């Protein structure tokens, strides 16, 4: 991702929407720490989120200032749409907070009301407390302001996601061909990664989930050296990316004919997915698809095995996640809107039985319903 990947007019539209939202909330400044927020406004793809980075956005139509470590200077100058770059560190360690304090004072940020992102990742607790203390009464938490504005994707963004979904589909063919008795989960995973990268996918923000046999009850299990055995069932989930826009795909598989219980769990989860998809449309509360999937699983007597969310918005991913704040789950305050892209994945995992089932698809929310982005069969993969 870089400033060259989208038209300047699209970046201008994004900035204008952020400034309108800031004005509505009475904010003079917005300080962004989440790399997805910074990327959305500037195109920056730099790894400066590993230490300390922020984007200072004024409510007025004035220059944007970015602060990041010196090591990313060249990349940010070449690829990010920022008006001013301030860096810290370099050949030696440097505490970024004194530099931030001087910059904030120079820009007049300390004299206004500042909305601050407080993400789960990307902002060290020590840095957070220092910035909170520096701003004092001017500090306002505004963690989801930019994220909420970016939930509805532009045609250009949807184009990236469609490309990613096509790559994910192709990798599933490779995955199915790689499944055979005696191969390790890691060997199969390597085939998937090779297929993704060879077809133009970037590295996904979250690693592949791949479990088999007695490990099939793990909801987010990473591949291991365990060798596939006859009679195994299991599941896979991975992401493909184009300019960091992510499409995910997950399927259930069996080596040999599935037992009656394996097939039963798969069929329950598939019905739950279908019920979830049937409720997705513009204007629907995000709780509605979740409750529909939950009813199917509950009526099958498996509520105790229902873990994780029924689905969530998909963002341009930075490690460790490709997810957005919008979740289809109980208590969600969000409403689905046309142009959102969400995953559908209500699962069942039963530790006491050593079994689990999850099917993962992405859909584009439309006025009248939704569009399934994957073109691959959702049937149980039987080898």
């Amino acid at each position: 991702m870089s400033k060259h990947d989208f038209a300047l007019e699209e970046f201008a539209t994004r900035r204008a929407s952020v400034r309108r939202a800031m004005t509505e909330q009475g904010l003079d400044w917005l300080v962004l720490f989440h790399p997805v927020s910074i990327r959305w406004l500037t195109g920056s793809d730099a790894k400066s989120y590993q230490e300390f980075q922020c984007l200072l956005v004024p409510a007025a139509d004035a220059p944007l200032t970015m602060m990041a470590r010196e090591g990313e200077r060249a990349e940010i100058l070449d690829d990010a749409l920022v008006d001013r770059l301030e860096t810290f560190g370099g050949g030696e360690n440097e505490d970024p907070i004194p530099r931030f304090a001087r910059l904030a004072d120079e820009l007049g940020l300390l004299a206004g009301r500042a909305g601050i992102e407080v993400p789960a990742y990307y902002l060290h607790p020590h840095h957070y407390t220092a910035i909170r203390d520096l701003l004092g009464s001017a500090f306002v938490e505004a963690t989801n302001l930019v994220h909420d504005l970016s939930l509805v994707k532009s045609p250009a963004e949807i184009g990236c996601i469609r490309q990613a979904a096509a790559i994910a589909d192709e990798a599933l063919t490779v995955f199915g061909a790689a499944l055979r008795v005696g191969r390790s989960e890691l060997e199969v995973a390597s085939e998937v990664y090779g297929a993704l990268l060879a077809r133009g996918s970037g590295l996904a923000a979250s690693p592949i989930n791949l479990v088999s046999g007695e490990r099939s009850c793990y909801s987010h299990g990473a591949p291991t050296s365990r060798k596939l055995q006859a009679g195994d069932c299991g599941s896979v989930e991975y992401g493909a990316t184009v300019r960091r826009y992510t499409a995910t795909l997950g399927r259930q598989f069996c080596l040999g004919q599935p037992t009656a219980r394996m097939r039963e769990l798969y069929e329950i989860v598939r019905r739950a997915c279908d019920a979830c998809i049937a409720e997705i449309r513009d204007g629907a509360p995000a709780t509605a698809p979740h409750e529909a999937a939950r009813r199917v699983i509950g009526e099958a007597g498996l509520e105790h095995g229902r873990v994780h969310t029924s689905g969530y918005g998909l963002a341009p991913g930075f490690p460790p996640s490709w997810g957005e704040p919008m979740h289809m789950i109980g208590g969600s305050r969000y409403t689905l809107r046309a142009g959102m892209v969400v995953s559908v994945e209500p699962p069942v995992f039963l530790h006491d039985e050593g079994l689990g089932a999850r099917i993962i698809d992405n859909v584009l929310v439309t006025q009248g319903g939704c569009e399934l982005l994957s073109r691959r069969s959702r049937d149980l993969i039987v080898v």
Side-chain angles (χ1 to χ4, degrees), residues 206-264:
S206 182
I208 189 172
N209 297 324
L210 175 56
V211 292
S212 63
E214 68 280 0
R215 302 181 69 248
S216 65
C217 62
Y218 299 169
S219 60
H220 296 94
T224 69
S225 58
R226 181 190 184 276
K227 294 188 181 300
L228 301 180
Q229 302 173 23
D232 277 351
C233 75
S235 62
V236 65
E237 176 192 11
Y238 55 85
T241 75
V242 171
R243 296 174 182 165
R244 288 195 181 271
Y245 287 89
T246 304
T248 62
L249 190 62
R251 292 294 184 263
Q252 194 77 10
F253 65 87
C254 283
L255 272 69
Q257 289 303 309
T259 66
R261 183 57 164 167
M262 291 174 187
R263 187 167 289 282
E264 179 187 26

Side-chain angles (χ1 to χ4, degrees), residues 114-130:
I116 310 296
E117 276 191 330
V118 187
Y121 314 102
Y122 318 115
L123 180 60
H124 193 288
H126 295 164
H127 295 156
Y128 163 73
T129 55

Side-chain angles (χ1 to χ4, degrees), residues 29-31 54-58 63-66 100 103-104 107 109:
W29 285 90
L30 188 61
V31 184
C54 62
L55 183 69
L56 288 75
V57 183
L64 269 62
T65 301
M66 185 168 178
F100 175 86
L103 181 60
L107 293 172
L109 188 149

Side-chain angles (χ1 to χ4, degrees), residues 187-382:
E187 287 178 290
V188 175
S190 74
E191 298 268 3
V192 175
Y193 273 120
L196 291 170
L197 296 177
R199 288 160 176 77
S201 171
L203 289 171
S206 182
I208 189 172
N209 297 324
L210 175 56
V211 292
S212 63
E214 68 280 0
R215 302 181 69 248
S216 65
C217 62
Y218 299 169
S219 60
H220 296 94
T224 69
S225 58
R226 181 190 184 276
K227 294 188 181 300
L228 301 180
Q229 302 173 23
D232 277 351
C233 75
S235 62
V236 65
E237 176 192 11
Y238 55 85
T241 75
V242 171
R243 296 174 182 165
R244 288 195 181 271
Y245 287 89
T246 304
T248 62
L249 190 62
R251 292 294 184 263
Q252 194 77 10
F253 65 87
C254 283
L255 272 69
Q257 289 303 309
T259 66
R261 183 57 164 167
M262 291 174 187
R263 187 167 289 282
E264 179 187 26
L265 292 179
Y266 164 79
E267 294 292 349
I268 291 168
V269 166
R270 180 156 183 173
R271 290 201 305 273
C273 290
D274 290 342
C276 185
I277 291 171
E279 294 296 326
I280 296 176
R281 63 180 57 83
D282 181 66
T287 52
H290 168 70
E291 291 301 333
R294 182 182 179 186
R295 281 193 296 273
V296 172
I297 294 171
E299 289 169 0
L302 294 174
E303 175 66 16
H304 64 286
R306 187 184 58 80
V307 299
H308 198 41
T309 176
S310 293
Y312 51 84
L314 287 161
F318 283 79
S321 177
W322 50 51
E324 293 177 314
M326 195 290 293
H327 279 249
M328 296 189 297
I329 199 167
S332 174
R333 64 177 179 82
Y334 286 94
T335 299
L336 300 178
R337 294 298 179 197
M340 290 183 178
V341 177
V342 299
S343 71
V344 175
E345 49 185 276
V348 171
F349 292 100
L350 305 172
H351 189 209
D352 58 340
E353 298 186 40
L355 293 173
R358 175 189 276 149
I359 305 167
I360 299 172
D361 276 297
N362 300 163
V363 300
L364 172 65
V365 182
T366 64
Q367 290 290 339
C370 64
E371 176 191 346
L372 197 64
L373 295 180
S374 173
R375 299 292 182 256
R376 297 308 307 268
S377 169
R378 299 162 68 217
D379 291 346
L380 181 65
I381 299 172
V382 178

